Each structure stands twice: as structure tokens, then as C-alpha cells.
Amino acid sequence: MKAEDVKNIAVLGAGSMGHQISMLIALAGYKTHLQDVKEEALVKAEAELQRIMAKWVTKGKITEEGKNRAFSNLHFTTSLETAAGQADVVIEAVVEKLDVKREVFADVDRIAPSHAILATNSSTIVNSKVAVVTARPDKVCNMHFFFPPLVMDCVEVVKSEQTSEETAALAMELCEKIGRTGVLLHKEIYGFIANRLLFALSKEAITLYEEGYADYKDIDLICKKALSHPLGPFEIADLSGIDVGYYANLQLFEETGDPKDKPAKTVEEKVKAGELGRKTGKGWYDYSKTEVNQ
């Protein structure tokens, strides 16, 4: 299958990543199904996308006609069969837990057409760990979008040893079709490229904070003023979701058993308190009176 043969795309998971990925795809003209097991998640996703697109119309980034056309391409459903049954490409964007992703991929492999490409949007988990539950490991890859997908212009496409060249090429072409820069990783590594760099910075930043060398706000300030980073590591954690990094660390710890890979104490406290960043209104910073710029 080539990129021009792709007509129907399913996105699984209507959370902070999935709903924006689905709109990005719908804007490109594909018939798109956004699926979630919870009806309330779909209602929330549609309302948020309406808000973002209305703002785009106001700012002149899209016409009213273009907005309406995108929503006519986008369908919301709780049925995995409806979403994946006729899909040419399926992009999974559920919670960053390996057991959940494996369950989803096993179901999708059973439901989706045999030619369909199955991609995971995981920010850390390599695709071979989910491909193992499918009968099509050659058609599985990572397509790691960055938050927020409607703004960030990068997708890490990752091949495993089983991923075919055709699958990788199609994923890269699809990135181009939806207006995103695809970057191909020729072999798997935990966390890929961007997050490995970010994890190193974040881990050191949290250590410096927990050991009392500086306040987290000042650590962010140093990164922005001295290193010219647009956001500091604590601001990035709030933007992407503190729970995302937390579960990624848990997954790494499960793989290595190394205590150094366990989530930091302060991060665990934030997750247990439900302070996950911008999406909950509070993380390291308080966002009760602000919103994520789209």
C-alpha cells in the first residue's frame, strides 16, 4: 500500500494527544474516526476541537468553510469496530501503559483490514513491544507526535527490526500529507531521540530541585535565559502532562530494575495529587486562569 491509497484513518484515544491528532488528519482531507471507550471523553474532545478551530477562524488560520469541511471528515465513536473496521492506518494514542497498549493492538489486529498499518503514538515504548501481540509486525511502527499536535511540527517515525521499509515509507509520506515533518529512526531505543534528550535534562533538573540547589522556577529561568530554551523542563512537564513522564519512568524501571530509573518523589506526589499540569489546571505551575495556546 502506498500513501495515495490511504483514505480512512482511525485514531484510538480521545485524550490530549488523540483528539488533536484526529483533527490534524481530518484537516488533511482524510475520513477520520476518533475512538474512545468513554462517551464523555469524546464529548469533551469535540468541544475542545470546536473551541480551537473557532479560534483558528478568528485568527485567520483557517476559513469557516475549511473548519466545517474538517469536522465533516471527523467522526466520533465508542466502537472500535466502526473506527478500525475499514481503516487503512490506525494510530493508537491511549494511556502510556504497555499492558493497555497490547490489549488495544491485539483487538485492532483482529478488526482492521489485513493491509492496514498500525502505529503507536507512544512517547517512549518501542513498537516491537506491542507488535508482538499482532500477526502483522511488519506493518507496525511508532508515529510519535508532540504536544500539542496541532502546533508542534515533528513526528518521530520509528522502525523495529520487523517493520518493513514500505511501512516506514508510508508513515513518512503520511506525515508530509498532514503537514508535519517526519523524522525516521532506523532502529528502536527507549524514549527515541527527543525524549531521551529531554529525560536527561528533566532528571537533572528535578534532582537539583529536590536537593535544594534552586527553586524549580529558577531552574526553568536559567534554562530559558542561559540556554535559550523556549520552555524550562518543569514547564515542559506541565505542558506534556506530568503523568506521561511518570508512567514512562515506571515502564523504564520495570524493564531495568534500576532504582535510578524510578520516578522522582516529587513527581510521584504530583501524580497522586492529580496535579498533572496544564490539562488539570495545576502541575508545577498554576494554570487556573490560563489556557494552552493553540
Side-chain angles (χ1 to χ4, degrees), residues 10 12 35-37 78-87 90 92 94 98-114 116-118 130-136 140:
L12 312 181
Q35 185 271 344
D36 199 286
V37 294
T78 57
S79 169
L80 188 60
E81 287 77 8
T82 298
Q86 297 183 359
V90 178
E92 167 273 313
V94 303
L98 180 58
D99 58 339
V100 177
K101 290 182 184 295
R102 281 180 170 169
E103 183 178 345
V104 169
F105 267 74
D107 288 340
V108 171
D109 185 52
R110 173 176 53 83
I111 294 167
S114 60
I117 300 300
L118 311 183
V130 292
V132 70
V133 301
T134 76
R136 61 181 96 189
V140 179

Side-chain angles (χ1 to χ4, degrees), residues 41 43 49 127 133 150 176 204 215 243 271-272:
V43 171
L49 289 174
N127 69 81
V133 301
L150 284 167
E176 184 177 353
E204 185 64 20
D215 185 73
D243 55 325
V271 172
K272 288 182 177 179

Side-chain angles (χ1 to χ4, degrees), residues 140-171:
V140 179
C141 68
N142 290 85
M143 289 185 70
H144 174 219
F145 293 76
F146 291 83
F147 184 81
L150 284 167
V151 176
M152 299 297 286
D153 177 25
C154 188
V155 179
E156 290 178 320
V157 175
V158 187
K159 289 178 58 183
S160 72
E161 290 184 358
Q162 292 78 37
T163 306
S164 70
E165 294 293 340
E166 179 186 43
T167 295
L170 188 147

